[in-house]
Amino acid sequence: MAYKPRLEPDIIKILRLLNARGNLTEQEKRYFEGKKKGFEGEVFFDQVVTEPLECEGLVINDLLLKFNNTYFQIDTTIIFKDTIKLFDVKNFQGEYYYEEGRFYAINGSERDDPLVQLERCVSHFRQLLYSLGYKGTIEAYVVHVNPEFTLFQVPRTYPIIFPSQLNSLRKKLNNNQLKLNDWHRRLADKLISLHIVESPYDLSPAYDFDSLRKGNNCGRCQSFSITLNDRILTCNNCGHQETVESAILRGIGEIKLLFPEMKITVNVVYEWCGGVWSKWVIRNVLKKHFKATGYGKWCFYE
Ligand SMILES: [Zn+2]
């Protein structure tokens, strides 16, 4: 079990909702696809390599930290007794190559070199760790997880792990038998407490309540083609089923995610769900799961 689990970032959830209920531009759609693909790669890495780690090691997923006014992000950090290992997971697809120390896609266009990003990140992280009293070694790797990734002309000394090496990476990590102590757990807790939740790198498009499409859609595939039968909603696209209560609660969660400042009232939820459910049904769900403040039409739920 990871010491800090990996959760789907809010920016992906927001973009998914906007993609279904709004109009993402082609550029925003590509950004959304890129974010999703990156996250899927990280989840795949977890499944193959760190879940669960059968040795003494604290797995901290998805850290966004700041040192000397510079942000840096680490997909996976593992604290062992005498080493901290960092992994930057990439879900690239296609063919790439190195030439004279630069990183190119096969069509000859230069791309941001993951190793340069990694080096920059390690430099900041090392300074932060030393400031916290850590004196061990730090090892960092770029990990490619996509089986359709190929890299040519790469010196074998580069700290890169390929898809064919993931199983042996898992075995190597699990060989680490040195016992951790409270100091390591305190270091892990400290790093997690320094994690920045709202990433300055996340680019959310502008949106507003009125212009987004209303109505219940499928919680799995986002389709708005839904059939209601005996208080169960069934998606006509993927077959996913959900109770009315669960659909209303999910709708409330969507409003809270997209509009954190908005007060949750019966009318707001009624409108968001497209007027499909009576206000009486919505009020009952709100009363059951939230605390009411105020009365009558000024009543809102927290
Ligand atoms: Zn569906």
Side-chain angles (χ1 to χ4, degrees):
M1 169 89 184
Y3 204 68
K4 177 177 181 290
R6 191 181 308 283
L7 304 174
E8 186 177 51
D10 279 355
I11 184 67
I12 295 182
K13 293 183 195 159
I14 288 173
L15 289 167
R16 184 178 295 119
L17 291 175
L18 296 180
N19 192 34
R21 294 180 180 270
N23 285 313
L24 291 187
T25 62
E26 285 308 311
Q27 194 185 0
E28 288 160 351
K29 278 186 186 160
R30 277 199 298 277
Y31 178 66
F32 173 43
E33 291 303 324
K35 283 272 171 195
K36 261 198 316 191
K37 199 171 174 196
F39 181 67
E40 284 162 10
E42 292 162 21
V43 170
F44 179 78
F45 175 79
D46 299 345
Q47 286 167 351
V48 176
V49 179
T50 66
E51 277 179 5
L53 212 58
E54 286 145 358
C55 66
E56 290 272 328
L58 300 172
V59 178
I60 306 174
N61 290 314
D62 185 28
L63 276 179
L64 175 62
L65 301 167
K66 196 177 177 186
F67 191 76
N68 276 344
N69 284 321
T70 308
Y71 291 96
F72 54 99
Q73 193 164 4
I74 306 133
D75 295 329
T76 304
T77 303
I78 309 180
I79 300 181
F80 291 108
K81 185 170 192 296
D82 50 2
T83 318
I84 290 182
K85 292 187 194 275
L86 311 178
F87 300 94
D88 187 18
V89 180
K90 298 290 178 200
N91 195 0
F92 293 177
Q93 212 169 335
E95 299 179 335
Y96 296 79
Y97 62 94
Y98 275 101
E99 194 160 276
E100 293 175 3
R102 293 194 186 141
F103 184 64
Y104 296 91
I106 201 72
N107 65 6
S109 64
E110 188 177 354
R111 300 294 169 88
D112 288 339
D113 184 351
L115 288 176
V116 172
Q117 296 169 8
L118 181 75
E119 205 171 308
R120 179 189 151 273
C121 171
V122 173
S123 161
H124 296 301
F125 199 36
R126 188 184 303 117
Q127 295 175 60
L128 172 66
L129 284 169
Y130 287 178
S131 79
L132 297 173
Y134 177 74
K135 296 190 176 65
T137 56
I138 299 167
E139 290 174 20
Y141 304 89
V142 168
V143 189
H144 290 281
V145 294
N146 197 309
E148 292 180 34
F149 172 78
T150 307
L151 185 56
F152 298 106
Q153 294 171 201
V154 55
R156 71 187 169 85
T157 51
Y158 279 16
I160 299 176
I161 294 167
F162 291 99
S164 57
Q165 298 174 300
L166 291 175
N167 281 332
S168 65
L169 171 65
R170 181 193 182 95
K171 284 181 197 146
K172 260 185 229 158
L173 293 176
N174 281 332
N175 272 340
N176 207 309
Q177 297 302 337
L178 297 172
K179 292 269 177 234
L180 297 175
N181 59 38
D182 280 349
W183 191 88
H184 298 97
R185 276 175 204 92
R186 280 200 300 276
L187 178 65
D189 291 338
K190 181 69 188 170
L191 290 173
I192 292 168
S193 77
L194 293 173
H195 170 64
I196 296 159
V197 179
E198 278 197 26
S199 167
Y201 301 124
D202 290 346
L203 305 169
S204 172
Y207 56 88
D208 61 75
F209 189 89
D210 290 340
S211 63
L212 294 179
R213 180 171 175 183
K214 309 299 188 298
N216 280 110
N217 64 351
C218 171
R220 188 157 73 190
C221 76
Q222 315 296 317
S223 165
F224 279 86
S225 174
I226 301 281
T227 304
L228 174 66
N229 203 342
D230 204 15
R231 300 191 68 74
I232 298 287
L233 293 97
T234 304
C235 172
N236 298 327
N237 182 47
C238 76
H240 180 61
Q241 292 196 317
E242 196 174 19
T243 62
V244 171
E245 180 173 338
S246 155
I248 293 174
L249 281 172
R250 191 163 52 79
I252 295 167
E254 291 171 356
I255 303 169
K256 282 165 158 289
L257 177 66
L258 291 171
F259 308 100
E261 307 296 323
M262 189 175 274
K263 285 199 170 19
I264 302 294
T265 65
V266 172
N267 283 334
V268 163
V269 179
Y270 177 79
E271 196 184 332
W272 185 254
C273 296
V276 180
W277 319 117
S278 72
K279 293 186 181 180
W280 183 82
V281 168
I282 291 170
R283 187 173 291 110
N284 280 339
V285 172
L286 281 166
K287 273 187 186 162
K288 187 171 160 191
H289 294 275
F290 299 89
K291 186 175 149 288
T293 305
Y295 292 96
K297 70 179 199 178
W298 308 115
C299 179
F300 63 92
Y301 296 81
E302 293 175 290

